[in-house]
Amino acid sequence: MKMTLRWYPGKDAVNLAYIRQIPGVTGVVSELQKPVGAVWPVDEIEGLRSYINQHGLAFEVVESVKLHEDIKLGADRRDQYIESFIETIKNLGKSGVKVVCYDFMPIFDWFRTDLTKVLPDGSTTMAYSMIEASQIDPLSSDIKMADWETDYSREELETLFGAYREKDTEDMWKNLQYFLDAVIPYAEQSDVKLGMHPDDPCWPIFGLPRIITNEANIDRLLSLYDSPYNSLTLCSGSLGCSAAHDVAALVGKYAGMDRIAFGHMRNVKLFQDGSFDESAHLSTEGSLDMVQIMKAYHDAGFTGYIRPDHGRVIWGETGAIGYGLYDRALGAMYLNGIWETLEKLD
Ligand code: CS2
Ligand code: MN
């Protein structure tokens, strides 16, 4: 297992020298800031890699290379965007990147109804309320997202919603199959594993067709192209926000099949009505048993990458919500502690 932390070049208030000081964190997960659909040039990837390496950290995981909506929609220009994606994968492979996280969520990446919910200890966190979510109309309200690469104008949103209204989940599966058939052979040649991130939360929002939502659908994704390069970014918080999921069992199953390239570790606290808070990583703070999940990776002999997913805002830190230094550093130490214990008791 290789412990990493996500780091945004340029705009990140967290600097690499600090990340280097978290014991056991050996690399960062990063990205070039490019418009969706643009090719990432090899010299810019190299520049980023050497900057990260100069700080004593590895750069072997990219998060995310976003897919253009035309790919997910199966629209006319998808071939052009698939070509760009393939070029980017080839370029990342040339620069030593081993895993690329991506997702197939229509229009929106992860979605919360509250970015600054105050917890009893005074920290703030992101939360999802079922009631509030059901009252939001994304076309008439200003929904504020942290961390979003894609900021659509109201007009663009309307066009996209219109296009997705014509599509159902089977269309999405067809478009995903088309994408994987085109891309995985190049991922194999370039030795870059594609790690699909589950939809977050793992249920449909705003009537959009979401497909990476449960075990049966993950099985289907993996069977669309049988290769370790068609792999998962298994996000404990995204799948764990449904009480129906036994995340440790899912990790055991997919790591055992060698289909997890990258693990996101986040704890969530679930409520009766399906709402949830993103909690601190410690098992007792949320609903997930983080030891059982780490044990499932360990038992499978997992050699891939893990990062603590979102953190709370603590100790007066300012900066990107979910991606501050302090709580994620606590998370990394905690997860490394679990791993060390598992290693020694083995
Ligand atoms: C998010 C993102 O929950 C998360 O992991 O912060 O990492 C996002 O969902 C991914 O970038 C998906 O491509
Ligand atoms: Mn995640």
Side-chain angles (χ1 to χ4, degrees), residues 32 55 67 76-77 173 181 225 232 250 272 313 339 341:
L32 289 185
H55 289 80
L67 300 193
D76 290 348
R77 281 178 309 173
W173 283 113
D181 284 344
Y225 203 112
L232 300 171
L250 295 174
Q272 276 303 322
V313 176
W339 194 264
T341 308

Side-chain angles (χ1 to χ4, degrees), residues 6 8 31 63-66 101-105 109-110 112 126 146-149 195-200 233 235 237-238 262 264 266 278 307 309-310 322-323:
R6 192 173 187 181
Y8 294 92
E31 65 192 8
E63 179 171 348
S64 301
V65 180
K66 289 282 166 205
C101 169
Y102 75 115
D103 66 80
F104 217 68
M105 289 178 255
D109 195 323
W110 52 276
R112 301 288 178 269
M126 292 188 273
D147 172 46
W148 276 30
E149 294 90 346
M196 174 74 88
H197 192 285
D199 299 349
D200 182 7
T233 296
C235 180
S238 302
F262 185 22
H264 281 183
R266 186 205 313 156
E278 296 191 5
R307 72 168 176 82
D309 212 355
H310 305 164
Y323 286 97

Side-chain angles (χ1 to χ4, degrees), residues 11-241:
K11 64 179 180 187
D12 202 328
V14 176
N15 69 48
L16 287 173
Y18 292 171
I19 294 176
R20 174 78 178 85
Q21 292 169 351
I22 308 169
V25 171
T26 54
V28 293
V29 173
S30 196
E31 65 192 8
L32 289 185
Q33 264 115 40
K34 292 279 170 205
V36 178
V39 175
W40 297 14
V42 77
D43 57 326
E44 290 185 43
I45 301 167
E46 269 299 303
L48 179 61
R49 188 188 59 74
S50 75
Y51 183 73
I52 292 169
N53 290 169
Q54 277 160 26
H55 289 80
L57 292 160
F59 175 40
E60 293 171 358
V61 185
V62 159
E63 179 171 348
S64 301
V65 180
K66 289 282 166 205
L67 300 193
H68 195 278
E69 297 299 329
D70 283 5
I71 296 178
K72 292 176 265 182
L73 282 163
D76 290 348
R77 281 178 309 173
R78 73 170 150 183
D79 288 335
Q80 168 196 328
Y81 291 115
I82 288 175
E83 274 312 305
S84 304
F85 187 90
I86 291 169
E87 280 312 302
T88 295
I89 294 300
K90 286 185 186 166
N91 291 346
L92 289 170
K94 282 181 203 151
S95 198
V97 167
K98 298 290 174 210
V99 175
V100 167
C101 169
Y102 75 115
D103 66 80
F104 217 68
M105 289 178 255
I107 313 180
F108 301 109
D109 195 323
W110 52 276
F111 172 69
R112 301 288 178 269
T113 56
D114 191 348
L115 300 179
T116 53
K117 178 169 174 179
V118 183
L119 297 175
D121 63 5
S123 61
T124 67
T125 197
M126 292 188 273
Y128 186 97
S129 148
M130 281 290 187
I131 295 181
E132 280 174 44
S134 69
Q135 290 164 349
I136 292 173
D137 173 359
L139 290 175
S140 65
S141 41
D142 253 341
I143 39 178
K144 291 250 176 303
M145 309 291 171
D147 172 46
W148 276 30
E149 294 90 346
T150 30
D151 266 331
Y152 295 113
S153 68
R154 184 64 48 86
E155 293 70 36
E156 286 167 326
L157 265 188
E158 272 167 22
T159 311
L160 282 171
F161 264 91
Y164 277 107
R165 224 167 275 134
E166 310 291 309
K167 305 287 169 194
D168 60 19
T169 50
E170 285 310 312
D171 295 315
M172 294 289 281
W173 283 113
K174 262 184 242 137
N175 298 337
L176 179 56
Q177 176 86 65
Y178 186 93
F179 170 76
L180 292 173
D181 284 344
V183 164
I184 298 296
Y186 293 98
E188 287 172 339
Q189 277 169 30
S190 311
D191 193 21
V192 175
K193 289 184 174 165
L194 297 192
M196 174 74 88
H197 192 285
D199 299 349
D200 182 7
C202 54
W203 52 73
I205 54 167
F206 309 134
L208 293 165
R210 287 182 147 203
I211 55 172
I212 313 298
T213 48
N214 58 37
E215 183 175 0
N217 287 355
I218 293 174
D219 288 344
R220 185 169 177 184
L221 153 71
L222 297 180
S223 69
L224 291 183
Y225 203 112
D226 190 16
S227 161
Y229 290 82
N230 173 27
S231 191
L232 300 171
T233 296
L234 197 135
C235 180
S236 66
S238 302
L239 292 169
C241 61

